[in-house]
Every structure is written in C-alpha cells, then in structure tokens.
Amino acid sequence: MSGRLEAKVLVVTGGTQGMGLAFAQRAATEGASVVIGARDKDRGEEVAAQIRKAGGDALFVPTDVTVEEEMARLVDSAVSEFGRLDGAFNNAGGGPMASVRDADSADWHRSLALNLTSVFYGLKYELPAIIASGGGAIVNNASVSGVKGDATQAAYNASKHGVIGLTRSAALDVARSGVRVNALVTGLIDTPLWQNVVSQAPSTAERYLSVQPTGRAGTSDEVAALTTFLLSDEATFISGASIAIDGALTA
C-alpha cells in the first residue's frame, strides 16, 4: 500500500460522501492517514471503519465545519493522534440556492457559513499545524460558480468566489513557509447532492446537463485524483492557483 500520499497525515472535511469520501478512500489506499470531519457520527464511524478494514489508516472526528471550536478540535485531533499534519482537503459545502431577489437573510448566512467561513476556520488552524510539521499543502473545494456565476445561486456564488479569493490570500501569506494552498474549480460532479437534484428536480438537472461540453457530469474519483496530485510532492511549485475540473465548462 503506497503512493504519492504515502505516510502523510491529511484532514478531510465532508469526508463521508461524494468528493470527500472518494478522496479519503484514495488517500488511505496510497498510504496516508486520513482524519475525516463531518456531522453524521454514525456515517463517519462507518466510513473510517471501512477504510481501516481495507488496510488503511483513518480517524473520524464529529465536526460541524461552521463552528470554529470544532474545526480547531479536528486539527488538534489529527496532530494528537498522528503527531503532525501534512495537508488538508477543505471540501465540505452546499446549502440553499436561490436568486438575489428570492433568498432570505437566513439562507445567505447559512450558505456563507458552510461554504466560506468553514474554509477560513480550516485554514486558520491547519496552516500553523502544517508549518509546525515542516510544510505541506491544502486544497480548498470551490466551484465553477466561483468564476462563472448562476442567477439562481446568489449566496452560493458569492461564497465560492470568496473561497477562491481566500485561497489566493492564504497562499501568499505562507508562500515562504513551505505550505501551498490551491483551490479546485469543480464543475458538475456526480455526487449524492447531484443525484438528489436528478430525483427531486429533473428539469433543473436536464438544464445543467444540457450545457456540459462533455455531455456528462464528472466523477468524485476524478476530483480525488486531481486533489491527490495537488497534495503530493509532485506539485511543489503550484500554489495560489484555482484549477478547473469542469469538463471545459469555463474554458
């Protein structure tokens, strides 16, 4: 069991499903120790147990990424359990979607908390831990919504734009500290969230699929592959970048 992430200690938020789960599984297969943060304790414990059963090394820490103290605990747990922190995939996100005119203030604050403030909390505690461990890398999951926009996703768009800007700021802040910070500009990815759209709002799903240059959604495994590269020692001169994985949607 070896790979580009062998012997690294990595934090993954939203690691119990979709892109976070695919990355956690791949990272563990490559020899990393993964520390998974998510709200669903039962599901999280199950995922960690499955990874360990397959021969990997995993710890689940119940975490609400919108609560600063819980994000601090997630990072502290990684360092306490494994002695250091080499990287992180700040992946958790989602939330209500509505236009500027239709969104209420609660939706606005909920979306920013889940998609942007959570990344700030992650960076705030991950960066010092990674620097103290001798360096590493962080990947923040943004979205094509952060560069392209959508009239029906005002708060989500704003928060993902924020993730891209925050990524750049963090990368510049630690550029001489041995830590790299990049963002994924993810397009339409086949996750449980997308499958819910397909089942609950087929016309919306059809609209999104109709504008995909490749005619399909991406897979969580494809996102995991790119994340693996960015967190590996093969990407040591890539930092502050917002890298599209969207099937040419924003090309």
Side-chain angles (χ1 to χ4, degrees):
M1 184 173 62
S2 63
R4 288 181 289 186
L5 300 181
E6 186 173 13
K8 293 186 182 297
V9 178
L10 305 171
V11 161
V12 186
T13 65
T16 59
Q17 63 178 349
M19 292 175 276
L21 173 59
F23 173 73
Q25 291 172 327
R26 175 170 180 146
T29 299
E30 292 204 1
S33 298
V34 292
V35 182
I36 299 167
R39 286 178 293 187
D40 189 332
K41 186 177 186 298
D42 291 340
R43 175 63 178 155
E45 295 289 3
E46 178 185 354
V47 167
Q50 289 173 347
I51 290 174
R52 291 192 295 267
K53 185 177 180 179
D57 202 357
L59 171 69
F60 173 71
V61 180
T63 306
D64 182 340
V65 297
T66 68
V67 178
E68 182 173 356
E69 292 78 11
E70 296 195 19
M71 284 298 292
R73 185 182 64 191
L74 176 63
V75 173
D76 286 345
S77 296
V79 175
S80 297
E81 180 73 15
F82 298 108
R84 66 182 193 281
L85 183 65
D86 301 303
F89 182 26
N90 293 316
N91 164 73
M97 296 186 182
S99 69
V100 172
R101 290 177 291 174
D102 293 335
D104 60 30
S105 59
D107 288 343
W108 172 266
H109 290 294
R110 190 178 305 115
S111 188
L112 264 66
L114 180 57
N115 295 295
L116 178 57
T117 304
S118 66
V119 177
F120 164 68
Y121 290 154
L123 292 169
K124 180 177 179 180
Y125 294 99
E126 292 156 1
L127 288 171
I130 296 172
I131 291 170
S133 300
I138 294 173
V139 173
N140 300 321
N141 201 355
S143 169
V144 293
S145 293
V147 296
K148 188 174 183 294
D150 187 315
T152 66
Q153 301 178 8
Y156 186 77
N157 283 354
S159 62
K160 292 301 186 179
H161 271 273
V163 169
I164 291 172
L166 181 58
T167 295
R168 184 65 177 168
S169 180
L172 291 169
D173 182 37
V174 297
R176 294 181 179 270
S177 301
V179 183
R180 298 176 293 104
V181 188
N182 293 293
L184 299 182
V185 180
T186 49
L188 177 60
I189 307 298
D190 190 358
T191 63
L193 180 63
W194 168 244
Q195 288 302 319
N196 185 60
V197 173
V198 171
S199 62
Q200 300 295 322
S203 61
T204 299
E206 184 178 347
R207 175 169 67 88
Y208 279 111
L209 276 174
S210 69
V211 299
Q212 301 304 309
T214 59
R216 70 169 179 93
T219 69
S220 292
D221 286 339
E222 288 170 322
V223 175
L226 177 57
T227 305
T228 295
F229 168 69
L230 291 173
L231 290 177
S232 77
D233 295 334
E234 295 180 344
T236 51
F237 202 54
I238 303 174
S239 192
S242 300
I243 299 173
I245 178 165
D246 64 0
L249 185 62
T250 56

